[in-house]
């Protein structure tokens, strides 16, 4: 399973369309060409064009790199701004990542300063999400609600049972895994990303 946003669901397409539109608006407000933003975010012009048109399934790390280049953050691109149609959807959060096996990540909220994001993740049995490193000094707090979460870290795996929590530096390559036969649901708080 990749760290790209899974295509197919209407919630995921809404997310992809929303971030593409916001990226385009912010880029134009800065007076930048697609090429200038591509260079600033270290992406190809073609990939950025597809993202802006809502035709690409960017990884969460890619969205974060574009947000940083635009001097904003992931949450500012991802969360609904109170659009009536989105508010009526009665979604617990904004679906930001979804896999064919039913695994998903919901962004529940965020603050601007200091930067923090609150997430609710569900990983189906055998589910995996490979994360890209955040900014230096960034951290994540994980709290498992049910199931067993394995954090694959550079220092080695860390397994959390229901009710357990852990703080990890997220400025490294890491992954979330569900190596059990039951789904795992956990809360994730990101700071400094």
């Amino acid at each position: 399973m990749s760290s790209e946003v899974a295509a197919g669901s209407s919630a995921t397409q809404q997310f992809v369309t929303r971030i593409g539109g916001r990226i385009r608006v912010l880029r134009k407000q800065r007076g930048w060409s697609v090429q200038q933003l591509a260079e600033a975010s270290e992406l190809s012009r073609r990939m950025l064009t597809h993202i802006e048109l809502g035709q690409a399934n960017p990884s969460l790390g890619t969205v974060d790199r574009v947000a940083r280049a635009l001097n904003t953050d992931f949450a500012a691109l991802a969360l609904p701004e109170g659009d009536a149609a989105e508010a009526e959807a009665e979604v617990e959060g904004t679906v930001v990542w979804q896999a064919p096996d039913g695994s998903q990540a919901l962004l529940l909220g965020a603050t601007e300063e200091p930067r923090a994001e609150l997430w609710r993740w569900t990983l189906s049995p055998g589910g995996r999400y490979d994360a890209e490193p955040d900014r230096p000094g960034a951290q994540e707090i994980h709290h498992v609600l049910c199931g067993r979460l394995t954090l694959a870290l550079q220092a080695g795996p860390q397994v959390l049972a229901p009710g357990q929590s852990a703080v990890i530096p997220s400025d490294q390559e890491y992954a979330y895994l569900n190596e059990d036969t039951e789904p795992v649901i956990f809360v994730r708080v990101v700071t400094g990303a």
Side-chain angles (χ1 to χ4, degrees), residues 142 150-158 166-169 172-175 177:
H142 302 91
T150 300
L151 300 171
L153 308 171
Q154 289 177 346
Q158 185 173 0
V167 177
I168 66 163
Q172 62 178 315
E173 289 186 21
Y174 60 102
L177 296 94

Side-chain angles (χ1 to χ4, degrees), residues 35-45 47 62 65-66 69:
Q35 183 64 40
Q36 288 172 304
L37 180 54
E39 290 171 5
S41 58
E42 299 178 356
L43 294 174
S44 72
R45 184 180 49 77
M47 170 59 105
T62 297
R65 279 199 314 269
V66 173

Side-chain angles (χ1 to χ4, degrees), residues 117-139:
E117 300 168 355
L118 176 64
W119 296 75
R120 179 179 172 171
W121 282 71
T122 303
L123 285 180
S124 297
R128 178 184 178 109
Y129 177 82
D130 293 302
E132 294 181 30
D134 288 323
R135 294 179 186 189
Q139 294 184 321

Side-chain angles (χ1 to χ4, degrees), residues 97-113:
W97 173 79
Q98 195 167 17
D101 67 3
S103 296
Q104 68 175 0
L106 297 173
L107 180 58
L108 302 174
T111 62
E112 291 183 26
E113 290 299 328

Side-chain angles (χ1 to χ4, degrees), residues 10 12 16 25 27 29 36 40 44 80 84-85 92 108 111 114 119 122 124 126 134 140 148 150 156-157 179 182 190:
S10 64
T12 301
V16 169
V25 166
R27 175 182 59 76
Q29 285 175 350
Q36 288 172 304
S44 72
E92 186 176 333
L108 302 174
T111 62
W119 296 75
T122 303
S124 297
D134 288 323
E140 294 185 2
R148 294 173 59 83
T150 300
E179 300 175 315
E182 298 295 322
V190 182

